[in-house]
Amino acid sequence: MSQLIIFDTTMRDGEQSPGASMTKEEKVRIGKQLERMKVDVIEAGFAAASPGDFEAIHAVAAAVKESTVCSLARAQAGDIQKAGDAIKPAQRGRIHTFIATSPIHMQHKLRMSPDQVLAAAIDAVKFARTLTDDVEFSAEDAVRSEMDFLCRVFEAVINAGAKTINVPDTVGYSVPELWGERFRTLIERVPNADKVVWSTHCHNDLGMAVANSLAAVKAGARQVECTINGLGERAGNASLEEIVMAVRTRKDYFGVDTRIDATQIVPASKLISTITGYPVQPNKAVVGANAFAHESGIHQDGVLKHRETYEIMRAQDVGWHTNKLTLGKLSGRSAFRERLKELGIELESEVALNAAFKKFKELADKKHEIFDEDLHALVSDEAVTPEVEKYHLVSMIAHLETGESPYAKLVITDAGKELACEAQGAGPVDATFKALESVAHSNAELLLYSVNNVTEGTDSQGEVTVRLSKAGRVINGIGSDTDIVVASAKAYINALNKLAHGERMNPQTGD
Ligand code: KIV
Ligand code: ZN
C-alpha cells in the first residue's frame, strides 16, 4: 500500500494563530511528541522570524532523531541561509521555501512581475539545495494562481532541484472536486512530475480543509500538510488527526496509509491545547471529549450489543483512556526526572528541575494521582519557564462570601522585587485581575478567559487561558492549579510576561 507522508506544521502555521506562540522548551516537547507519533516531517518554525524562533528550530533539530525537521523560508537568500543554519543539527533536515504565484499576491503583496517571481523561485531552490538535499517549494496562494503560470514555476523548480512540490490553498477557497482536479492537471502537465512528491496544504476558511486535502490524496498527492487540532491562522489548517484517521478507517477507498502511531494522537492533542491555550471543542472529530461518547439510549444499547453498530473507530486506538497514572505522592526526584525525560521535557537547569519538583510535590499533596497531562500543565506554568518571566506569583488570598464584595490580595515579584496589590471585583477572578493590573499597568484588552479541566474529577487541575491584546499584538497566557482562582492569577501573569517579551514576524504578511 502506498504511504502518505504526514507533514506537521503545528509549530509553524499553527503558531501563526493569535497568541499561540511557543517557547523553545515547548517546541522541543512538541517535537518529541510528534516524533513519538511517527510524524514524517516536522515544520518547527520560520527561522528568520526572530532569534528566538531560530533557536527553537535549532533545539528541535537537535532533539528529534526519527522525523525530518524543517524550517520555512521566504524565497530570499537571507531567510534560506537562516533556515539552513537552524536545521543543521538534524539527522534529516529540510528547507521549505515559498513565494506567492497568484496575480493578486504578485501585484499587491510582492509588487513583482511573474518573470521576477519565477526567477526568485529558481534562485531560492538552487541556493537551498547548496545547504540540504531535501528542498520543498510552495507556490503560495496556488488556489488562485493561473494554471499555465503554476505549471511553468513548478517545472522550473523541479529542474532547480526541489524534491517536494507543495500546492497550498492559502485562503481556504477551494472545494474538493476542484482541488482534486487541480492536482490531476498539475501531475499530468508538469514535466518530471513523477520525480517529486506532490503535497497539499489546505486552510479551513470554508470548513473544507480536510475534505480538500483528501481529494488531493485521491488525485495523487502523497504528502499532506496539517496541524494537530486543526490549529492555524483564522479558521485553521487541515487537522492531522482527521486526515490520518480518515485514510486509515477508509483504506478501502483511499488506498494509502501513514506511519502514524494513532495511539499518540490524543496525548498530542492535549499537549497542543495545554501549550497554546486553544481548547478543543467537545464535538471535534477524533480528539473532542464527546467524539466517542454515546449519549442517547439507542446508541448505548447498540454499542453494548455490538460496537460496530455506531462506532467506526475505537477510542483506545487514537489514545483515549490510555492516560497513564504516572507518579504519586511518594515518587522521588529521579522517578520525576525520568518521566519528564520520557515525555520529552528537558528542563534546562537543576534550578528549573528543583522548582518543577517542588511544584509536583505540592500538587501530589492535593491531588494524589498525577497523570502525564498534569506534568505537561505543570511545566507549562510560568514558574518553570524563567526566560519569559518578568512577574512571578509569590502568594495570594481571594475572598468570597455571600453578601460580601469579593476581593483579592496578591504578592508578586517584578524582576525580583516584591510588590503587594489588592482589589475588589465582581468575583474573585475579576478582583485578582484588577489587583494585578493595578501594579502591572499593561492596559491590555482581555479578549478571552476560559477554564478547562486537565484530567477528570473535581480534584483535577483547572487550566486557565487568558488572551490579551495590546497594540495589535495578541498573546495567550496559561496557568494551571487545583484552585482555579490561583490558576487564573498564574495565567494573567503568564500573559503579562509574554507581553513583556520580544516580537516575531509572520512569514506570509511580513508583519
Ligand atoms: O498557507 C500557505 O500558503 C502557507 C505557505 C507558506 C506554505 O502556509
Ligand atoms: Zn498555510
Side-chain angles (χ1 to χ4, degrees), residues 271-335:
L271 176 63
I272 295 301
S273 144
T274 294
I275 285 178
T276 60
Y278 274 77
V280 177
Q281 79 197 54
N283 58 333
K284 168 87 174 64
V286 186
V287 294
N290 291 352
F292 292 88
H294 294 275
E295 288 288 351
S296 88
I298 296 175
H299 285 209
Q300 281 180 6
D301 185 48
V303 169
L304 287 176
K305 283 184 183 135
H306 189 70
R307 191 181 59 81
E308 279 87 8
T309 46
Y310 286 99
E311 269 189 17
I312 56 163
M313 298 173 273
R314 293 190 317 168
Q316 61 268 40
D317 291 346
V318 296
W320 282 107
H321 319 308
T322 51
N323 58 345
K324 276 210 242 137
L325 169 64
T326 45
L327 298 168
K329 202 171 151 58
L330 300 176
S331 306
R333 253 175 78 90
S334 49

Side-chain angles (χ1 to χ4, degrees), residues 12-13 72 96 98 138 140-141 166 168 170 201 203 508:
R12 198 280 297 171
D13 225 344
L72 186 69
H96 175 194
F98 78 99
S138 283
E140 190 190 8
D141 204 21
N166 184 40
T170 305
H201 175 116
H203 283 263
Q508 289 168 272

Side-chain angles (χ1 to χ4, degrees), residues 1 18 22 47 136 175 246 312 354 416 465 470 507:
M1 182 156 306
M22 303 154 194
E136 171 171 334
V175 295
I312 56 163
N354 288 344
T465 303
K470 188 175 178 185

Side-chain angles (χ1 to χ4, degrees), residues 340-402:
L340 291 189
K341 213 165 143 208
E342 280 164 22
L343 291 173
I345 304 171
E346 309 265 0
L347 295 176
E348 272 174 11
S349 62
E350 277 303 298
V351 177
L353 181 74
N354 288 344
F357 186 64
K358 185 164 169 271
K359 288 178 68 171
F360 158 70
K361 280 289 181 189
E362 284 163 11
L363 182 62
D365 266 344
K366 292 184 212 156
K367 196 173 175 280
H368 308 299
E369 296 176 330
I370 308 288
F371 296 90
D372 289 348
E373 290 94 322
D374 288 310
L375 295 181
H376 279 299
L378 188 140
V379 293
S380 291
D381 236 32
E382 41 90 32
V384 194
T385 49
E387 77 266 26
V388 290
E389 190 170 272
K390 169 171 159 61
Y391 301 109
H392 176 70
L393 177 65
V394 178
S395 62
M396 70 177 289
I397 300 169
H399 184 79
L400 175 68
E401 193 178 332
T402 317

